[in-house]
C-alpha cells in the first residue's frame, strides 16, 4: 500500500471511529463496525492499529491534537502584557468545555493508560506548565510550579467527571468555577503574610525565570534551580502548620 493511500485510509478509519465513539460510546467502536463504516477490510485495521485499544488511542490522539492545536493558537497570541491569571483561567474554562463537549472521550482519557503519554496530551500539559510558569514569574505562587500544575489538573478532571456523572439538566453550573476558586486559594498569594512566605514566593518567582538566565552557564543554572527548589520544598506555604 502506498504511503499516501495508507495515510488517507488511516485518517478515514479514525474519523469513523471517532464518530461512533462520540455518538454511541466505546462499545460501538468494534473492528467490524469501523471497517464497514470506513469501507475497508478488518485486517487493515489490525495492520494499522494493532487492536481496538490501539484504535481508541489513535482516536484520542486525533481529537486531543485538534484541541491542543486550538489551544496553541491562543497561547501564541498571548503577549507579555496579557495578565497571566487571565490566561490561566481561560485555559481552565477551555478544559472544562472540552470535557463537557466530549464526555465519552474525556472519560476514556481519564482512565490510566489511555492517551496520557500521547504527544497531544503532553503538548497540552506543556501549555498548562507555561501558563503556571508565567504566574510564578510574577511572584504570585505560594507553592511550587509542579504542585500548582498537579492541583489544577486534579481539580479540572474531578470537576468534569462529577458534572458528567449527572444528567445535563441537573448539573451545577457553578461547580467548576467554585472548584477553580478553591484551587486558586491553595496556589496563589496576594500579599505574603505567613512566616517564611517572602523567601518562598521569591524563590518560586526566580525559579520560573532561572532557565532563561543566559549570563549563567548551564551548570550554574541547574545549581541555582536546585537551591531554589530546596527552599521551596522546605518552606512551601501549602505545608500544614503545626
Amino acid at each position: 500500500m502506498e504511503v499516501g493511500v495508507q495515510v488517507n485510509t488511516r485518517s478515514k478509519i479514525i474519523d469513523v471511529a471517532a464518530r461512533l465513539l462520540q455518538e454511541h460510546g466505546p462499545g460501538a467502536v468494534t473492528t467490524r463496525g469501523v471497517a464497514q463504516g470506513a469501507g475497508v477490510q478488518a485486517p487493515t485495521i489490525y495492520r494499522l492499529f494493532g487492536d481496538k485499544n490501539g484504535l481508541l488511542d489513535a482516536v484520542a490522539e486525533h481529537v486531543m491534537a485538534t484541541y491542543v492545536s486550538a489551544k496553541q493558537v491562543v497561547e501564541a497570541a498571548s503577549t507579555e502584557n496579557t495578565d497571566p491569571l487571565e490566561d490561566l483561567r481561560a485555559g481552565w474554562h477551555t478544559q472544562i468545555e472540552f470535557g463537557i463537549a466530549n464526555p465519552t472521550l474525556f472519560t476514556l482519557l481519564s482512565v490510566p493508560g489511555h492517551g496520557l503519554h500521547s504527544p497531544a496530551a503532553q503538548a497540552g500539559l506543556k501549555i498548562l506548565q507555561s501558563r503556571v510558569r508565567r504566574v510564578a514569574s510574577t511572584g504570585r505562587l505560594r507553592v511550587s510550579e509542579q504542585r500548582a500544575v498537579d492541583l489544577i489538573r486534579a481539580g479540572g478532571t474531578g470537576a468534569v467527571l462529577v458534572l458528567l456523572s449527572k444528567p445535563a439538566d441537573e448539573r451545577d453550573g457553578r461547580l467548576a468555577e467554585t472548584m477553580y476558586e478553591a484551587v486558586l486559594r491553595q496556589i496563589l498569594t496576594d500579599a505574603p503574610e505567613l512566616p517564611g512566605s517572602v523567601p518562598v514566593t521569591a524563590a518560586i518567582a526566580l525559579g520560573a525565570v532561572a532557565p532563561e538566565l543566559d549570563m549563567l552557564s548551564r551548570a550554574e543554572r541547574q545549581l541555582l534551580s536546585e537551591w531554589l527548589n530546596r527552599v521551596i520544598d522546605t518552606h512551601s506555604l501549602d505545608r500544614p502548620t503545626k
Side-chain angles (χ1 to χ4, degrees), residues 195-215:
S197 60
V198 174
V200 171
T201 53
I204 294 171
L206 181 55
V209 300
E212 303 172 7
L213 299 178
D214 295 334
M215 72 288 298

Side-chain angles (χ1 to χ4, degrees), residues 27 73 78 110 126 135:
V73 170
S78 298
S110 299
K126 287 182 179 179
V135 175

